[in-house]
DNA sequence: TAGATTGTTAATCGATTAACAATC
DNA sequence: TAGATTGTTAATCGATTAACAATC
């Protein structure tokens, strides 16, 4: 297990992102045939990368193919699930019950990735107690107790930028191991905390940069 | 203009992303002093990159610094705005008036990036005519006419995965030049169309991968 | 067997970092 | 002037691609 972990710990970001693309494609095109195969070159063409890269990626997660037939799709799917941790379920909570927080709370696909939302919090007295999807919005005073009671390891932030840092600090103090932040700010967290910052504006930047010459 | 465009057209993705980080930081820390300077090493430390890289990035967008003082913050800000096209305003519409569509429609920061949402569409008869923020939800039959009338160049998709492709096709047919897709699917678009696919699951993959060893 | 496909080593490519002269 | 900081060339690093023997 030690060696195995050391091995996959090395996966770099481009590889991680490609693994997810493979996973999406296989997931949508498996049709229950457990023994169906796909060649690295076919998958490479679909994803838009070089076929050697696909084989390298698969080798890096311990997948073996067979000359003349390729890789068993069911194997690809299950191995990526294991490597990315989708086979293990873990608890997350959302702080910020605005439209974005609500959208994430109700996002159906999360269960495919092992992520289970177990709470939705807000400081707005108007919202507390009301319902979004299957969640009753809870007050912030419950935040730390719930994190501890339910062993929540991921905190999702969908609050205004200026509220994000203190809430992140509080969640880390209470025991979360990761922060997924949708607030447009720059969080500072201890090095042992996994942080993923989603900046909508990164998307805009790329689009705007490519579109700017078309704007009259 | 020709030469200038050829020049900046070369900006690669890491550079684009860093430009945005510089922009965010400068934007929040300028305090109206138009002449305040910042050194490449100071900015580098804040962003978490090498200082040579900051100077390379700035050189690549035509920014010049001064030995002993650094770069004028106001210059950095305005030059990045021009390069990324934030100084030009353009029209976008959103298709899919669910929670995520609503969140994006009401996202306040977009105006800083030149993006102006001019319509919110849905096919749900229950939703059509109702209000989200300042938008009245419109029926899909209005989609193409509005795109043409208002010269909409960006279409934002927040619909279920299976609805995304035909709607993208329709918007491209009607004249949009870019698609920003939040639906968890793989869109196929002509090569002259700028596509940005946002996959929430990419974020989950990275988080899950790093957290998986902590899950009991 | 012949031929398609894997697995892997070597070559290439592009981005980052190091080094350092030029400059204010 | 002395010293901090830029601007740029060369070195390094890491990821991708090419080449090709091994294999079913």
């Amino acid at each position: 297990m030690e060696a195995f972990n050391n091995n996959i710990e090395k996966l770099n970001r481009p590889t991680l992102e490609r693994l997810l693309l493979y996973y999406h494609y296989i997931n949508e095109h498996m049709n229950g045939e457990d023994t169906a195969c796909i060649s690295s070159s076919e998958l490479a063409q679909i994803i838009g990368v070089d076929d050697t890269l696909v084989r390298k990626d698969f080798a890096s997660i311990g997948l073996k193919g067979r000359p003349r037939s390729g890789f068993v799709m069911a194997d690809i799917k299950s191995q990526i699930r294991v490597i990315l941790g989708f086979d293990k379920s873990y608890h997350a909570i959302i702080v910020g019950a605005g439209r974005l927080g609500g959208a994430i709370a109700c996002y159906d696909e999360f269960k495919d990735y092992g992520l289970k939302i177990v709470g939705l919090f807000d400081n707005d007295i108007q919202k507390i107690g009301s319902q979004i999807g299957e969640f009753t919005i809870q007050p912030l005073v419950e935040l730390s107790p719930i994190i501890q009671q339910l062993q929540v390891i991921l905190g999702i932030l969908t609050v205004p930028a200026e509220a994000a840092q203190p809430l992140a600090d509080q969640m880390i103090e209470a025991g979360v191991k990761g922060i997924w932040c949708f607030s447009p700010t720059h969080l500072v967290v201890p090095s042992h905390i996994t942080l993923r910052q989603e900046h909508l504006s990164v998307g805009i930047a790329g689009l705007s940069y490519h579109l700017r010459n078309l704007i009259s």
Side-chain angles (χ1 to χ4, degrees), chain A:
Chain A
M1 195 60 188
E2 210 61 40
F4 181 63
N5 272 346
N6 286 339
N7 200 17
I8 60 174
E9 196 66 52
K10 278 184 282 183
L11 295 182
N12 55 35
R13 199 136 91 93
T15 299
L16 275 177
E17 296 195 1
R18 286 192 302 270
L19 286 179
L20 206 71
L21 295 177
Y22 308 145
Y23 181 70
H24 283 162
Y25 178 78
I26 301 286
N27 221 12
E28 285 171 19
H29 293 83
M30 247 185 53
N31 298 326
E33 287 180 57
D34 282 337
T35 59
C37 285
I38 189 167
S39 70
S40 57
S41 56
E42 188 181 347
L43 194 50
Q45 193 167 33
I46 291 160
I47 304 297
V49 299
D50 193 90
D51 60 307
T52 306
L53 203 44
V54 174
R55 294 197 293 280
K56 277 255 170 82
D57 287 341
F58 284 175
S60 76
I61 61 171
L63 274 173
K64 289 201 183 304
R66 294 181 59 174
R68 299 238 354 160
S69 47
F71 296 80
V72 177
M73 290 172 81
D75 290 353
I76 301 173
K77 179 178 171 179
S78 68
Q79 185 63 5
I80 294 178
R81 284 187 69 81
V82 169
I83 295 293
L84 297 184
F86 297 161
D87 59 330
K88 294 177 181 171
S89 180
Y90 60 98
H91 288 175
I93 50 97
I94 301 174
V95 183
R99 287 194 179 85
L100 183 57
I104 294 172
C106 299
Y107 194 65
D108 217 27
E109 317 253 330
F110 284 170
K111 62 179 184 317
D112 290 342
Y113 302 97
L115 189 158
K116 182 165 169 55
I117 311 279
V118 296
L120 177 58
F121 296 83
D122 207 292
N123 72 342
D124 183 348
I125 208 103
Q126 302 278 312
K127 289 180 182 167
I128 291 165
S130 67
Q131 201 82 9
I132 292 186
E134 61 186 76
F135 298 98
T136 303
I137 298 171
Q138 296 177 272
L140 285 183
V141 65
E142 298 288 345
L143 183 58
S144 296
I146 292 279
I147 288 172
Q148 283 157 11
Q149 281 164 34
L150 299 183
Q151 297 193 346
V152 171
I153 65 165
L154 178 67
I156 302 175
L157 281 170
T158 56
V159 297
E162 62 276 13
Q165 184 67 58
L167 284 166
D169 295 342
Q170 186 186 341
M171 290 195 292
I172 292 166
E173 172 81 22
V176 302
K177 299 293 187 281
I179 301 274
W180 195 8
C181 182
F182 291 81
S183 307
T185 185
H186 178 76
L187 288 186
V188 178
V189 300
S191 61
H192 65 281
I193 297 294
T194 299
L195 171 67
R196 169 125 186 156
Q197 179 70 48
E198 301 285 345
H199 273 299
L200 271 189
S201 55
V202 172
I204 303 180
L207 285 163
S208 174
Y209 174 65
H210 287 107
L211 292 174
R212 74 192 188 293
N213 292 322
L214 306 169
I215 303 169
S216 50

